Amino acid sequence: MPDATARETESPRPVRPAPGTRQELPDDECTAPHYFLDDPTATELRELCTRVRAPLAAANALDDAWAPPRSRDAFLLNAYRNAQVDLIDIDPHDFGPIGHMGYFRRTASPLWERALDWFAERHIEG
């Protein structure tokens, strides 16, 4: 496994450490840009995703190096094509650094309040 402390000049392509690991990931490469949708054995899972008709909220922090909004979009917009998907980009300038795991910090409570508001706005009695 490549060491994330290696200098970028030693690699022909820019790399970055995967969050929580010392493994380096190329910045310009994703082996499955559509996540499990690219797996030829996942046909049943792809079919189940197309059945979803409920509204979905997909929030991503703009400073998430591991799962940026473009990654979310490539997956969700292809997987849940029959659902209304609200794509929400969270700007760290508004909430402070978030990254990939910042949603679980005490300071992230405003993000969860926004998520609860999203559900409340769509609540249907019945």
Side-chain angles (χ1 to χ4, degrees), residues 16 19 59-71 90 92 98-103:
R16 60 183 161 79
N60 278 75
L62 295 175
D63 65 343
D64 186 340
W66 200 9
R70 71 177 182 271
S71 174
I90 303 170
I98 302 161
H100 190 66
M101 298 299 290
Y103 306 99

Side-chain angles (χ1 to χ4, degrees), residues 30 32-38 58 60 67-81 85 87:
C30 179
H34 301 111
Y35 196 41
F36 64 78
L37 297 176
D38 290 336
N60 278 75
R70 71 177 182 271
S71 174
R72 168 205 59 202
D73 300 350
F75 167 65
L76 285 175
L77 297 178
N78 285 291
Y80 298 102
R81 31 185 110 123
V85 181
L87 303 173

Side-chain angles (χ1 to χ4, degrees), residues 23-76:
Q23 180 178 3
E24 290 184 342
L25 299 175
D27 273 340
D28 63 347
E29 180 180 314
C30 179
T31 57
H34 301 111
Y35 196 41
F36 64 78
L37 297 176
D38 290 336
D39 182 346
T41 66
T43 54
E44 182 179 0
L45 203 47
R46 285 192 300 274
E47 163 61 26
L48 290 171
C49 287
T50 63
R51 292 184 193 178
V52 174
R53 303 274 191 279
L56 303 173
N60 278 75
L62 295 175
D63 65 343
D64 186 340
W66 200 9
R70 71 177 182 271
S71 174
R72 168 205 59 202
D73 300 350
F75 167 65
L76 285 175

Side-chain angles (χ1 to χ4, degrees), residues 3-4 6-8 11-17 24-28:
D3 184 348
R7 296 193 293 157
E8 286 186 18
S11 175
R13 296 187 340 234
V15 294
R16 60 183 161 79
E24 290 184 342
L25 299 175
D27 273 340
D28 63 347

Side-chain angles (χ1 to χ4, degrees), residues 110-120:
L111 299 174
W112 291 102
E113 291 169 18
R114 285 180 58 189
L116 292 172
D117 289 345
W118 185 90
F119 282 104

